[in-house]
Amino acid sequence: MCLLHGCHREGLKNQGGVSRAEINLGTEMASVEYDPEKIKLIDIEKTIRDAGYDVIDQKVVLKIGGMVCAMCVGALEIALKKLDGVVDVRVNLAAEKAYVTFNPRMVGLADMKKAVLDTGYQFLGLAGDEAGADREREARELDLRDKKRRIIIGFATSLFSHGRNVSAGAGHPHGHPHGGANFMNLFMLVVSAPVFVYVSYPIFKAAIRALKNRSLDMDVMYGMGIGVAYGASILGTFGIVLTPDFMFYETAVMLASFLTLGRYLEANAKGRTSEAIKKLVACSPRGPPF
């Protein structure tokens, strides 16, 4: 269904994939049945505009959380464009907003929200919505606190594990005796495993999300790096393929902590920039009252 200022029925019927097109002059509405596998809504609207008429669509600006790179932008645009009724999508990574042009008779805000959430990102409401702004601020603060906890726990554990590893080897003239090395490796595995899972969980979650969206972004690279380091340590601990010399438990935890620190600084900077822009807009001069 589309609202028109006029229409040409035969022009629509000539499009491949359109099975029926009826025009109601009184209501200026066109009812079109089409196969979305053969033709898209944007192509139908282009045909109408090429005939000299217009299609009235609506535009909305969605606030999105959780995007970190250009791959996230591409995945989100693809997910929203798949919705039948969405004509155009532009996602701005820096502003964390999605600008969507859509046909309100075919798709609604609930569908867009579901598409955003299913892709693995946060739906923070509409731009200009005060309640949405409060939710965005609260979500950002919760995210920063969560990252801060992971950073502190990760660095504390990696430094403790490194210190224990060094002190255990220092008491022997040739480094670790075989039995001592085996005990220390098992100790490092037990201590680092829960911390590694806790700190790196958001990284692996984002990597899995990217793979589901058929995207190889930086989260996939990060996940592979720390995953290989920790996996090699486990294999070395039990002498599977690798020797006990391949011990990177504290290194894997520290790398995950550094990556989380980077995300923390990025999210904090975005939050400060967003607040600064809002204050500048509030300070903009208003026109005369007459």
Side-chain angles (χ1 to χ4, degrees), residues 36-238:
E37 297 296 328
K38 296 181 180 180
I39 188 171
K40 302 297 181 184
L41 179 64
I42 188 171
D43 300 318
I44 297 176
E45 293 195 358
K46 184 178 183 299
T47 300
I48 295 172
R49 291 190 171 99
D50 289 345
Y53 304 100
D54 195 15
V55 180
I56 300 177
D57 288 320
Q58 289 188 9
K59 296 183 179 181
V60 69
V61 181
L62 312 178
K63 292 189 289 188
I64 310 296
M67 296 188 297
V68 296
C69 66
M71 293 292 187
C72 299
V73 171
L76 191 57
E77 287 182 346
I78 290 172
L80 288 171
K81 285 180 179 178
K82 283 182 179 179
L83 296 176
D84 199 13
V86 171
V87 178
D88 185 50
V89 179
R90 292 184 298 106
V91 178
N92 188 310
L93 176 62
E96 296 186 306
K97 290 182 174 66
Y99 301 84
V100 185
T101 303
F102 67 102
N103 188 315
R105 293 162 187 80
M106 301 180 66
V107 65
L109 186 61
D111 302 310
M112 300 180 202
K113 178 180 179 180
K114 185 177 184 301
V116 171
L117 296 176
D118 289 347
T119 312
Y121 302 100
Q122 298 172 336
F123 179 85
L124 302 177
L126 303 179
D129 180 14
E130 290 299 326
D134 293 337
R135 288 195 300 270
E136 179 183 6
R137 191 177 301 107
E138 182 180 352
R140 195 183 301 278
E141 290 174 355
L142 288 173
D143 180 61
L144 288 174
R145 286 200 294 268
D146 178 69
K147 284 182 170 63
K148 190 173 183 179
R149 282 195 300 268
R150 295 177 193 273
I151 292 166
I152 293 173
I153 294 174
F155 278 124
T157 303
S158 60
L159 291 174
F160 168 76
S161 300
H162 180 71
R164 291 285 298 178
N165 197 25
V166 171
S167 63
H172 193 273
H174 302 290
H176 291 295
H178 180 73
N182 187 53
F183 171 78
M184 181 52 60
N185 293 340
L186 290 173
F187 173 79
M188 294 280 285
L189 172 60
V190 172
V191 170
S192 65
V195 177
F196 179 75
V197 172
Y198 175 68
V199 176
S200 62
Y201 172 74
I203 300 173
F204 286 113
K205 181 180 178 182
I208 293 172
R209 176 188 65 201
L211 291 175
K212 285 182 178 179
N213 295 326
R214 298 182 180 180
S215 173
L216 292 176
D217 60 8
M218 292 307 298
D219 288 308
V220 177
M221 304 299 109
Y222 296 152
M224 288 178 61
I226 60 178
V228 168
Y230 202 83
S233 303
I234 295 176
L235 293 176
T237 297
F238 297 100

